[in-house]
């Protein structure tokens, strides 16, 4: 277990990601690649992924996520802001 190390890469170019369709069928087909089902506490999230605290769906971005980013959960229609949670992992906070 590591990850408590603070990232000094705040201003570094963001890594980009190519998303694939994980079969998340609760949103229209063209948006499916932006979401996937969460596999539970043992499911490690990628730097471009954040968990919706409301419906526990993983929101995926084409770029690395950083604190302050706004994301939208189409599954429960929540607007979220990316924050650093306990343990230094990225989490999402509900804006409204
Ligand atoms: Zn949601």
């Amino acid at each position: 277990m590591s990850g408590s190390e603070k990232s000094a890469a705040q201003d570094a170019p963001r890594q980009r990601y190519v998303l694939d369709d994980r079969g998340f069928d609760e949103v229209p087909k063209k948006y499916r690649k932006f979401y996937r089902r969460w596999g539970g506490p043992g499911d490690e999230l990628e730097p471009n992924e954040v968990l919706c605290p409301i419906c526990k769906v993983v929101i995926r971005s084409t770029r690395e996520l950083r604190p302050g980013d706004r994301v939208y959960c189409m599954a429960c229609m929540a607007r979220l802001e990316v924050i650093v949670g306990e343990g230094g992992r990225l989490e999402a906070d509900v804006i409204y």
Side-chain angles (χ1 to χ4, degrees), residues 81-93:
E81 181 171 338
V82 177
I83 58 166
V84 178
E86 285 179 45
R89 293 204 324 196
L90 292 181
E91 294 177 5
D93 204 13

Side-chain angles (χ1 to χ4, degrees), residues 52 54-55 57 73 75-76:
C52 174
I54 299 173
C55 67
V57 158
C73 179
C76 69

Side-chain angles (χ1 to χ4, degrees), residues 14-61:
R14 298 187 190 218
Q15 191 173 336
R16 300 196 70 88
Y17 293 82
V18 176
L19 303 178
D20 54 337
D21 189 334
R22 301 288 186 90
F24 186 73
D25 58 5
E26 292 175 32
V27 298
K29 192 169 178 52
K30 64 182 287 196
Y31 300 110
R32 281 182 192 174
K33 64 183 180 179
F34 295 108
Y35 302 91
R36 69 175 176 86
R37 287 191 175 79
W38 187 45
D43 186 349
E44 290 278 337
L45 299 183
E46 300 292 328
N48 67 321
E49 295 180 331
V50 69
L51 184 67
C52 174
I54 299 173
C55 67
K56 305 297 183 190
V57 158
V58 177
I59 302 162
R60 309 167 75 211
S61 174

